[in-house]
Structure formats: structure tokens, C-alpha cells
Amino acid sequence: MDLKITPAKTLSGATRVPGDKSISHRAVMLGALAHGDTCIENFLPSEDCLATVRCLNALGVKFTAAAKDKLYVHGQGLTGLTEPFEVLDAGNSGTTMRLLAGILAGQPFFSILTGDASLCRRPMGRVVKPLTQMGAKIWGRQDGNYPPLSIRGGKLKGIHYTLPVASAQVKSAILLAGLFAAGKTSAAEPVPTRDHTERMLKFFKADISLANNTVQVEGGRPLAAKKIYVPGDISAAAFFLVAGAIVPKADITLTKVGINPTRTGIIEVLKKMGADITIFNQQELNNEPFADLRVKAASLKGVSIGGKLVPRLIDEIPILAVAAACAQGDTIIRDAAELKVKESNRLATVAEELRKFGVETTELADGLIVRGGGRDALQGAECFSHKDHRIAMAMAVAGLAAQGQTLIKDTECIATSFPDFEQVLNTLRTPS
Ligand code: S3P
């Protein structure tokens, strides 16, 4: 499938973005392990989250869909999962594979986790190592480093683990395994990463505590089923925050977007670049804050980013690079080597695709330099998604601000996180 994008004269109106992907995965998983029924509202029915639902279903968990985005999870309790007949397919979803590996490590049965060609090239040693230390037996390609993973879980013991890379998925896998382990399990992070697992575990009444960048969970404590409202995904909103900043005279409002401080790096950086963004109507439900975001067109300037900020906007770097291309001056992104092991090597794919729009980019060992040429810098291009949803959507936004038509090839991948992307975009293009 291809996506054709014509330049946008302007963008206006208010819209919702879909539910947060990270929170949707976690709601389904914790709901499955809780006692009783968990109702999830504004669930993200994207390919990635549906992969999690299918895997849990194969593990004996029942679901009732009341609407496309309203799901009931019939919890099995901590000891209620059953050995799957089939291989569990995580599709394109790193979160599904890594977090489920944590849960499966604690199960007294055998299971196999696999994924698509992109996921099978992503590193799994980072979860295999701590889960093995806890007592699980895990095999995978290349010495347990790559999927498929086969797991014989069982009696786990609590460990203390210091994460070598900043990764919320690794931290979450350890905490989920910790629910099944004897004693306390703790994970220390070098740099804070998204904390949705901790917040939700607390909401589900797990015995969890946080001190000095270390989160600790006590094993064997039952989880209580809850009602969860999933706020809008700031990683999906980011495409429109940038579109609103770079398309002439744009003025758009994105409602009920998650503003968990571990995720709001993109808002801070865009503001530093000169973007006109206001945050209002702040609320909080199930320990997760959300708000409405209004963005208006503005002239942007290049910035330097690195360090602790990077995990707070790790998934937004492709779209940030598009903002950088339309800014005046260079934007320098460092400390972002993790982008090489995402759904594609995002340092390489962003640099390559932006060049097709006439933008000068330099790939660094741990980052990217984007030479901004101001608003009129981009020429419409024919580009390729590299089967990476965030590359496809970032290039679509670049196309809105470019001169002439843009064609993005292979855009089926958008459905992994934002199935309604094109519709939402079209609503904002149509004057109301
Ligand atoms: C996620 C964590 C991040 C992020 C991914 C979702 C999560 O990955 O890039 O899209 O839901 O925990 P890492 O943990 O590999 O940094």
C-alpha cells in the first residue's frame, strides 16, 4: 500500500489521537494476571496491541470486546495461565515480546515467542539475561540473543538488576517476572524511562516501591482487577504537534493526550525550538495524567539534544527530525544509539528518507545532524517506510510541508500503532 500526500495549505480543528500503545499493552497484561474483570476504555486496537491480546488468548485469557476501543479482560489471577498449543506471535511488537517474556518466565510451562522479520532482528539478550538470573530457562537464536525465544519458566527468585541500557521494556519484563518470584525483585535504571508499568502495578494494588531510580516489587501478591482509561498516545500526537508547528497558519487541538513526564520530552524540545504549544484541561485517571494540547504554526530554530532527555522522546526522534528539517539551523541529536535497534535502524532510515526531500543529514554513531533550511526547505519526494510505522508517518508529515507531491511506499505498517492516521490527518485538512 502507498500513501499519497499533497502539501497542506493549512491544518485546523480539534481531534483525538488513539489510546497510548504502551499503556494499552500493560492494561491487557496486568488485567490478564489480576483477579476479576478489568475494563479498558480507549484501548488502542492497533496491530501491536492486538498481538498482545492474541498471545494472552493463546495462554487461556478470555476477552470481551464491547467496542473497537473498549475491552474487558477476564483476569486469570497470577497462577491461571495455561501452556499454549501454538507458537506465540508478537508480530512487529517489541513490547509484546519483551514484556510477555517476563510473564512467561514465571510460568511452570513451555512456550515459544516469535515475531516478524523486523522483530526477529531485534536484541532480546537484554531480557534473557536478567530473566535467566531469576531462574527461567530461555533459548533463542545466536545464544539467546534473538527471537524466536523458547521459554521454560518456573520457580523464580527475586534479584536486584542494574539495567545496562535505558529501556522501559527491560525494566517492565523484570518487574512482571518479579510478580511470580520469591521475595523482592528490583531494577535500577541508569536514566529514567517511561514508568507506566510501575504506575499501573500500583493501581492494581501490587506491592511496589520506588527509591533512588530503583523500583522494587514483592513477589506472590495478587493483583486486583481495575477500570482503566487509556489516555491518547503522545507518540501519535507528536506527528500532529510537528505538523501544526510547520504547516502555515495551522491551529490544531489534540484532546486527552497522555502527559506522563517520562514521555513529554517532545513537547519540551518543540517549545525550545520555538513551537507555540499550550497544555490545558489537565486531568488524571488511573495514575496517568493527560491534557489537551493546542499547537499553532511558528518559525522553528535548530537545537541540540542528548542525555536524560533522549529516553523521554525516544520514539519521537523521527518526527522531531522532520521539525528540524523545517527549522533554521542545525539540530544535533546525540546519545540515541538505541534508535539503531528499533523497528528499523531509525538513525539510518530517517537520514536516508529526509535526504530524498532535499534535506542535508549526517548520521552519527549515536545520533543525527539535520541541517534545517526553514519552512520552504522540503521538496516532495518518493520515499519508503522501511516497514517502520514511525518512519512512514514522519515522512507523511514532511510531505504536508513540502513543495509538490510526496509518495510513501509500503505504508501498511502504520496500522501497528495508528490505524486511523490518514483519517485523522484528513479531518485536520478539511476546514470545519
Ligand atoms: C516501550 C519502550 C521503548 C519504546 C517502545 C515502547 C514500552 O522501548 O521505544 O516503543 O512500551 O515500554 P525500549 O524499552 O526498548 O527503550
Side-chain angles (χ1 to χ4, degrees):
M1 203 160 74
D2 297 342
L3 179 59
K4 211 185 276 176
I5 299 282
T6 51
K9 286 203 179 70
T10 188
L11 294 172
S12 61
T15 187
R16 295 267 291 270
V17 292
D20 186 274
K21 183 153 77 73
S22 293
I23 298 176
S24 294
H25 282 297
R26 287 156 171 82
V28 165
M29 291 186 197
L30 293 193
L33 300 177
H35 286 278
D37 292 347
T38 286
C39 172
I40 310 173
E41 271 178 22
N42 205 35
F43 171 75
L44 169 66
S46 75
E47 284 307 318
D48 273 14
C49 299
L50 293 175
T52 296
V53 168
R54 281 185 215 113
C55 289
L56 286 165
N57 194 232
L59 290 159
V61 182
K62 301 273 184 293
F63 294 87
T64 308
K68 229 170 114 188
D69 60 355
K70 185 171 178 182
L71 200 60
Y72 286 88
V73 190
H74 306 294
Q76 298 288 109
L78 281 182
T79 55
L81 300 184
T82 51
E83 188 171 74
F85 281 96
E86 68 247 50
V87 169
L88 304 172
D89 188 356
N92 189 244
S93 173
T95 308
T96 306
M97 182 167 288
R98 297 198 177 112
L99 270 60
L100 271 185
I103 293 175
L104 293 170
Q107 308 308 313
F109 55 68
F110 177 77
S111 55
I112 302 177
L113 270 169
T114 193
D116 69 5
S118 151
L119 186 55
C120 285
R121 282 194 292 269
R122 296 180 65 187
M124 293 297 147
R126 53 182 64 190
V127 288
V128 170
K129 193 174 167 206
L131 297 175
T132 304
Q133 277 180 24
M134 293 177 80
K137 293 196 173 63
I138 309 183
W139 298 265
R141 287 188 306 116
Q142 297 189 31
D143 263 344
N145 276 306
Y146 293 94
L149 300 178
S150 56
I151 303 179
R152 177 62 173 85
K155 282 205 168 63
L156 301 183
K157 58 175 190 299
I159 58 165
H160 173 73
Y161 194 76
T162 302
L163 272 71
V165 280
S167 165
Q169 292 175 354
V170 177
K171 171 178 63 176
S172 302
I174 296 168
L175 294 175
L176 290 171
L179 296 176
F180 303 95
K184 297 182 195 319
T185 297
S186 54
E189 317 191 80
V191 179
T193 63
R194 65 190 68 193
D195 63 358
H196 305 300
T197 305
E198 298 91 302
R199 286 172 182 254
M200 202 181 288
L201 277 171
K202 201 165 184 193
F203 188 61
F204 275 77
K205 304 271 183 238
D207 184 345
I208 179 162
S209 58
L210 183 76
N212 309 324
N213 273 346
T214 300
V215 51
Q216 176 173 287
V217 70
E218 179 83 41
R221 301 289 169 88
L223 302 180
K226 290 283 173 183
K227 183 172 176 158
I228 297 274
Y229 171 77
V230 182
D233 196 330
I234 190 165
S235 298
F239 297 104
F240 299 111
L241 289 177
V242 171
I246 64 177
V247 168
K249 299 194 212 76
D251 182 354
I252 60 187
T253 299
L254 306 161
T255 55
K256 297 188 169 175
V257 179
I259 52 162
N260 177 315
T262 60
R263 299 282 299 280
T264 46
I266 183 68
I267 297 180
E268 283 164 36
V269 173
L270 286 174
K271 279 189 170 174
K272 208 168 137 199
M273 293 175 84
D276 180 353
I277 300 176
T278 36
I279 304 177
F280 58 107
N281 284 342
Q282 289 204 29
Q283 299 172 64
E284 183 163 320
L285 280 174
N286 41 266
N287 286 341
E288 289 285 356
F290 56 96
D292 296 344
L293 309 177
R294 181 175 182 186
V295 57
K296 292 197 238 172
S299 334
L300 303 182
K301 58 179 193 300
V303 287
S304 286
I305 68 160
K308 285 189 174 172
L309 182 61
V310 172
R312 296 179 54 233
L313 47 59
I314 191 74
D315 291 339
E316 286 66 77
I317 289 178
I319 188 61
L320 187 61
V322 173
C326 299
Q328 287 292 353
D330 288 359
T331 289
I332 304 169
I333 301 163
R334 305 300 305 246
D335 303 316
E338 270 296 298
L339 286 187
K340 292 180 177 172
V341 291
K342 294 292 177 188
E343 287 84 328
S344 68
N345 172 347
R346 287 183 176 157
L347 293 180
T349 51
V350 170
E352 181 183 336
E353 297 308 313
L354 276 182
R355 269 182 223 128
K356 296 179 182 167
F357 287 88
V359 180
E360 214 181 295
T361 56
T362 311
E363 214 185 311
L364 307 171
D366 68 342
L368 197 62
I369 302 176
V370 179
R371 178 139 297 173
R375 261 212 188 144
D376 304 322
L378 308 187
Q379 293 301 322
E382 184 172 314
C383 46
F384 178 48
S385 70
H386 299 263
K387 300 193 191 297
D388 181 334
H389 53 134
R390 300 207 196 277
I391 301 297
M393 290 185 277
M395 295 312 130
V397 172
L400 294 175
Q403 319 286 320
Q405 190 172 288
T406 291
L407 185 78
I408 303 137
K409 297 213 158 275
D410 240 357
T411 51
E412 287 84 353
C413 54
I414 289 176
T416 62
S417 69
F418 199 160
D420 294 336
F421 174 73
E422 207 182 336
Q423 287 91 306
V424 173
L425 179 56
N426 287 338
T427 330
L428 297 172
R429 291 180 78 127
T430 319
S432 45

